[in-house]
Amino acid sequence: MGRLRPTIAVWDYDRTRPLIDGRVTVEGCDPIWLHDMPIETMFSRALGGAEFDVSELSFSNHMAQVARGTNGYLGLPIFPSRSFRHGAWFLRADAGIARPEELKGRRIGVREYSMTAAVVARGLMEDEHGIGARDVTWVMGDVDEKERTHIPLPDLPEGFRVERAPEGRMLADMLMEGELDALLAYKPPKAFVKGDPRIVRLFPDYEARERDYARRTGIFPVMHLMGIRRDLAEAEPWLAMSLMAAFTAAKDLAIADLSIVQALKVALPWAPAEFARTREALGDDYWPYGVARNRRALEALTRWHHAQGLSPRPLAVEELFFRTTLGT
């Protein structure tokens, strides 16, 4: 039998670069790597029609499709993107909000209600401060410039208030002009980056809060996972574990590079010091793949997803991944 030639769509991270450049190989495969498209495009093409044999996926959208029974991909416990989201909350400086609890009853902008970054940020807010997704009005729209011609509202149970921003209005402008009280964004709005005093962070000390959260909960939130097309997984059941091994080796190689001090491989002058601080806060193996090491983070995601109206029932972690990977 010849070697498989699967198409694999994944972003160009340091932890996937060894696969893309050939330093790490996938046993039994000669993959066709697709790594130069915007993540939103990748997700749309994958979740809309299972276009790729293997693809990076939005964890939130994957959960929604699993709950509906419409998922064309079976998950692999490979998590190329993870992030804490305490730093994703921005406020209008004159909104009169001094504490997270004061977000209750407010109008908050968000690019996409269902995106994983928003699920995690809201989940943290409810767990830590008692503000649930039903306690505010969510206004969906583009943040700084027009990106979409149509913004579909999510299909949620009664009790959730989600609306579209007015046509042509950007969420960052609405925040600065008093039409929103806060903004939940996975990257800072441009005005904030430029130092506009009308926008401030809800948590100016977000890094310290994230470290404390990780220490108390053992959770490093997952944003994305890899998925293998259902028909391919069933036809070639060995492939899932071959991909697990390859992606893990590539990630371990990238992390090992961070510790090199003789000649820095990363263009950050204090990268080794930050690497040491990260390991101190999160442990030596701070970016684990597999189900067992990530169960707390995965159970939190499924709980938040259901509580925010995005899945009609609580999902079990085992439903999210291909059967051969459950023991990892």
Side-chain angles (χ1 to χ4, degrees), residues 27-273:
E27 185 176 0
C29 297
D30 294 314
I32 300 168
W33 294 99
L34 307 171
H35 57 85
D36 57 357
M37 71 185 81
I39 281 189
E40 290 82 3
T41 301
M42 183 189 304
F43 288 172
S44 176
R45 292 170 64 181
L47 292 170
E51 184 173 334
F52 315 112
D53 294 322
V54 178
S55 183
E56 184 173 353
L57 305 171
S58 155
F59 209 109
S60 175
N61 289 341
H62 177 63
M63 284 191 287
Q65 289 199 340
V66 169
R68 294 193 300 264
T70 60
N71 54 312
Y73 289 94
L74 300 174
L76 303 175
I78 298 166
F79 310 115
S81 178
R82 316 177 73 125
S83 186
F84 298 97
R85 293 300 183 184
H86 292 72
W89 294 96
F90 299 88
L91 305 175
R92 195 178 75 249
D94 63 355
I97 299 172
R99 300 180 301 114
E101 291 77 7
E102 293 171 353
L103 287 173
K104 191 169 185 176
R106 304 285 188 151
R107 292 172 59 81
I108 301 178
V110 64
R111 184 186 185 277
E112 184 183 349
Y113 180 86
S114 64
M115 66 183 182
T116 314
V119 172
V120 169
R122 288 190 300 257
L124 297 172
M125 189 63 68
E126 182 162 19
D127 285 359
E128 301 282 290
H129 303 286
I131 304 297
R134 299 174 187 262
D135 294 329
V136 305
T137 297
W138 302 97
V139 181
M140 286 178 51
D142 294 327
V143 177
D144 282 308
E145 61 271 324
K146 189 174 180 63
E147 301 175 55
R148 297 164 288 179
T149 57
H150 177 63
I151 300 175
L153 296 180
D155 182 14
L156 301 173
E158 290 187 14
F160 293 92
R161 299 184 298 276
V162 183
E163 61 189 57
R164 292 186 191 89
E167 180 65 28
R169 298 286 286 147
M170 301 298 110
L171 296 180
D173 294 333
M174 293 177 67
L175 179 65
M176 290 186 288
E177 294 170 16
E179 298 169 68
L180 296 174
D181 301 297
L183 174 65
L184 173 52
Y186 53 66
K187 61 182 179 180
K190 291 180 179 179
F192 176 84
V193 174
K194 293 178 180 178
D196 193 307
R198 291 175 291 176
I199 304 179
V200 297
R201 288 189 184 273
L202 174 61
F203 300 118
D205 59 342
Y206 68 92
E207 182 182 347
R209 287 177 178 266
E210 290 169 353
R211 290 176 181 273
D212 176 67
Y213 176 80
R215 178 186 58 78
R216 289 186 290 105
T217 67
I219 293 174
F220 182 7
V222 170
M223 295 290 116
H224 305 165
L225 77 161
M226 297 301 298
I228 180 170
R229 212 176 59 228
R230 181 184 295 274
D231 59 342
L232 179 60
E234 298 294 352
E236 308 286 352
W238 58 270
L239 180 57
M241 292 306 296
S242 185
L243 290 165
M244 284 286 302
F247 273 83
T248 299
K251 179 260 299 181
D252 290 345
L253 184 60
I255 289 177
D257 281 349
L258 298 175
S259 66
I260 295 174
V261 298
Q262 180 182 12
L264 299 180
K265 286 199 170 187
V266 179
L268 291 171
W270 296 286

Side-chain angles (χ1 to χ4, degrees), residues 297-313:
L298 297 172
E299 289 177 344
L301 264 174
T302 60
R303 175 169 55 84
W304 295 335
H305 202 259
H306 176 59
Q308 295 171 27
L310 292 166
S311 47
R313 59 179 177 82

